[in-house]
Amino acid sequence: MAAADVTGNWLAEVAAPNGNVRKTYYDLKQDGAKVTGFLRTSGFDRPLEGTIDDTGTVTLTLETMLGANRPSMKTVGTLKADGLHLTMRMRPDMPPREVVAKKVADGEGLPPARIEPPALHKVRSNGLAKTPPMGWNSWNKFAGRVTAEDVKGMADAMVSSGMKAAGYIYVNIDDTWEAGRDGQDNILANSKFPYMKGLADYVHSKGLKIGIYSSPGPSTCAGYEGSYGREEQDANTYAAWGIDYLKYDWCGAARIYKDTDMQAVYQKMGDALVATGRPILYSLCQYSRQDVWKWGADVGGNAWRITGDIRDGWNSMQKIGFSQNDHDQASFARPGHWNDPDMLEIGNGGMSAEEYRTHLSLWSLLSAPLLAGNDIRTATPETLAILTNAEVIATDQDVLGKQATRMSRTGDQEVWVKALADGSKAYGLFNLGTEAAQMKLPVRGKVRDLWLKKDVSQSEFTVPPHGVALLKVK
Ligand code: GLA
């Protein structure tokens, strides 16, 4: 028989480097030496199982939460007079740290009650994104550190660097701008964004547009305030601020809704955005669950994420990019509605210039949204030359709006083809291997090399390792 009783609702608070406090509840029940319960964060509720011995040492195992290939997480703690001392791992790959969890009221930390999502219907089109959206987003480079000053500086740099002239128009604030809500439940921006309306005015004064981020759940992926139950109110706030773009990220919604509720839940915000009367581009982020490409347009979506998060490395980029032929999603891309293989990493340092050219070539063939994810203020001429190559961008922005498909794959060599509005086709000859390869253009015609920016006469190309020949053929 264990000496102590760990039954209760224990709250562990851990401050992130940016000061945001993440709350983790251990809602535990002890029966003899056996402990059961739930681990609750703003993002999920997961069953726990464990034991307690007569010294008060508790060992808890969390059900594998991130897919079968991730290990279950184990937490060890000791029950003491001042609380439950836990050796916590925020992520399996991070070092453990000791946190003292305090007993709080039963029921604290439970997800809010489910609000029944609306019946399905088609959301009125907002008429936006006739070609894939282009701009910049804060997440890949800044994550939780982004501030209003960064966004202002980025708007300035978009103009001075030539990014705006190349077509990059949206300046998008990703997660971590949110505070809580005021007495009337209006969403508030935190101290990093002291005056959102002023920031929007500033971005607009540069001839650019501004985007923001939220979640249909009570909280976002980074644990900030979401739009749950406040969809219309938040849409109206965005419109009043002058927001032009919303990225709406599932995350915390998983605590309340099933995947089968997704379409209706996304539709709710789609309707709310249209009802504001302001054209607000609607970008769905739910990592392609539920075959989102089949219903993304019906909920008013202008783009929908089709993958998990990209990282600034060849493996991540090529895995995402070259898997875009695995389903039938290409046929669903069309003017106003695009598959989104996630944002660009060009210029963030984890890939070579060759690999970044492959990244932009592939994304352009895929008619993907082109959202730069680097710091434009300090971008090198080489990075800017890649990002602003007009002929490559024209491939992405082609008004026919057809997404490329893979034509052939031989070993490490892949050929992708995209039909263009003027009757010509763009071919990407990709070499995924680590040695240079000779690759043949599978058709004849008048050939233009979009990276060399000149007409060429040969039909065989030496493609560097991890590189591409991007060719337009008439
Ligand atoms: C998810 C999204 C990312 C980013 C973060 C922010 O992981 O997929 O693109 O928005 O959330 O927390």
Side-chain angles (χ1 to χ4, degrees):
M1 191 53 196
D5 191 356
V6 78
T7 299
N9 192 18
W10 302 90
L11 168 62
E13 295 187 287
V14 180
N18 65 9
N20 194 42
V21 176
R22 297 205 78 153
K23 292 183 171 182
T24 308
Y25 292 90
Y26 292 81
D27 192 355
L28 305 177
K29 206 167 170 223
Q30 183 179 336
D31 180 9
K34 197 169 173 251
V35 180
T36 53
F38 282 89
L39 176 73
R40 306 185 199 282
T41 71
S42 60
F44 58 82
D45 301 78
R46 289 284 160 174
L48 285 168
E49 261 188 17
T51 55
I52 182 165
D53 68 15
D54 15 327
T55 66
T57 301
V58 189
T59 308
L60 298 168
T61 307
L62 177 65
E63 287 279 305
T64 303
M65 52 177 238
L66 300 164
N69 53 348
R70 303 275 189 107
S72 347
M73 287 213 267
K74 199 171 171 189
T75 305
V76 180
T78 313
L79 196 54
K80 293 186 182 169
D82 64 339
L84 179 60
H85 289 237
L86 292 166
T87 308
M88 286 176 62
R89 274 182 196 275
M90 297 306 279
R91 290 205 318 249
D93 56 336
M94 276 166 74
R97 57 207 276 189
E98 177 154 318
V99 180
V100 184
K102 302 281 180 189
K103 211 171 203 168
V104 294
D106 285 348
E108 197 187 308
L110 281 174
R114 176 186 162 99
I115 300 169
E116 208 46 47
L120 293 181
H121 65 132
K122 277 197 182 171
V123 172
R124 188 148 51 84
S125 164
N126 60 16
L128 297 172
K130 288 284 183 261
T131 62
M134 289 179 68
W136 174 87
N137 174 292
S138 60
W139 187 255
N140 284 358
K141 175 74 187 180
F142 296 89
R145 299 179 308 277
V146 64
T147 67
E149 281 312 303
D150 295 325
V151 173
K152 270 182 148 177
M154 224 53 69
D156 294 340
M158 296 288 275
V159 177
S160 61
S161 64
M163 288 285 285
K164 180 189 166 197
Y168 295 86
I169 294 300
Y170 290 97
V171 179
N172 294 348
I173 307 162
D174 206 279
D175 203 354
T176 77
W177 63 268
E178 313 87 337
R181 293 181 181 273
D182 69 12
Q184 281 77 52
D185 273 340
N186 295 307
I187 184 78
L188 298 169
N190 58 39
S191 58
K192 299 189 299 162
F193 291 88
Y195 185 38
M196 204 56 102
K197 171 88 175 68
L199 181 59
D201 289 346
Y202 185 83
V203 172
H204 291 150
S205 77
K206 301 279 159 186
L208 298 165
K209 295 182 188 295
I210 186 164
I212 211 160
Y213 166 102
S214 189
S215 168
S219 52
T220 66
C221 292
Y224 287 70
E225 183 80 15
S227 294
Y228 183 64
R230 295 278 171 266
E231 293 81 1
E232 286 87 5
Q233 199 173 345
D234 285 1
N236 287 331
T237 301
Y238 305 150
W241 284 343
I243 298 296
D244 307 297
Y245 185 121
L246 174 68
K247 171 174 171 181
Y248 206 44
D249 196 348
W250 187 245
C251 264
R255 296 190 75 194
I256 294 157
Y257 293 118
K258 296 201 180 69
D259 277 11
T260 46
D261 297 319
M262 264 182 190
Q263 180 172 350
V265 169
Y266 273 93
Q267 173 191 298
K268 194 172 186 184
M269 183 53 100
D271 276 331
L273 293 174
V274 170
T276 66
R278 184 177 175 84
I280 301 178
L281 195 151
Y282 188 28
S283 165
L284 279 44
C285 180
Q286 40 77 285
Y287 343 109
S288 93
R289 298 171 87 97
Q290 293 290 117
D291 291 355
V292 61
W293 56 90
K294 294 180 182 162
W295 52 265
D298 290 346
V299 301
N302 299 109
W304 44 83
R305 270 275 293 278
I306 207 89
T307 70
D309 289 11
I310 195 169
R311 280 176 303 98
D312 181 24
W314 168 255
N315 279 338
S316 167
M317 187 278 289
Q318 63 93 14
K319 201 167 156 204
I320 287 176
F322 292 105
S323 66
Q324 295 309 305
N325 208 52
D326 293 359
H327 303 283
D328 56 346
Q329 70 258 41
S331 61
F332 290 83
R334 59 192 186 279
H337 312 285
W338 309 101
N339 290 305
D340 174 8
D342 207 359
M343 304 171 289
L344 301 174
E345 291 283 9
I346 296 163
N348 279 334
M351 286 181 257
S352 68
E354 204 55 63
E355 293 168 336
Y356 285 139
R357 276 190 285 274
T358 294
H359 188 3
L360 190 69
S361 302
L362 187 51
W363 264 235
S364 294
L365 287 166
L366 294 171
S367 308
L370 299 181
L371 295 172
N374 59 318
D375 189 340
I376 308 298
R377 297 168 303 188
T378 56
T380 63
E382 184 178 53
T383 293
L384 289 172
I386 295 173
L387 282 168
T388 63
N389 182 319
E391 299 190 29
V392 178
I393 288 173
T395 311
D396 180 73
Q397 295 290 299
D398 186 79
V399 293
L400 191 60
K402 283 266 183 226
Q403 178 174 329
T405 51
R406 180 165 45 223
M407 212 179 153
S408 67
R409 174 161 58 182
T410 322
D412 287 331
Q413 298 169 19
E414 301 198 8
V415 179
W416 289 65
V417 61
K418 172 178 180 167
L420 301 173
D422 65 359
S424 63
K425 286 183 176 164
Y427 289 85
L429 313 186
F430 293 98
N431 174 13
L432 282 69
T434 50
E435 307 285 331
Q438 289 298 115
M439 292 185 70
K440 271 209 176 80
L441 185 60
V443 290
R444 286 170 191 283
K446 199 168 156 287
V447 183
R448 182 151 178 95
D449 186 317
L450 303 184
W451 284 110
L452 295 181
K453 300 181 191 167
K454 65 176 195 201
D455 296 339
V456 293
S457 52
Q458 83 266 35
S459 60
E460 202 168 308
F461 296 79
T462 306
V463 186
H466 293 182
V468 62
L470 187 64
L471 308 160
K472 186 175 168 175
V473 184
K474 268 209 170 104

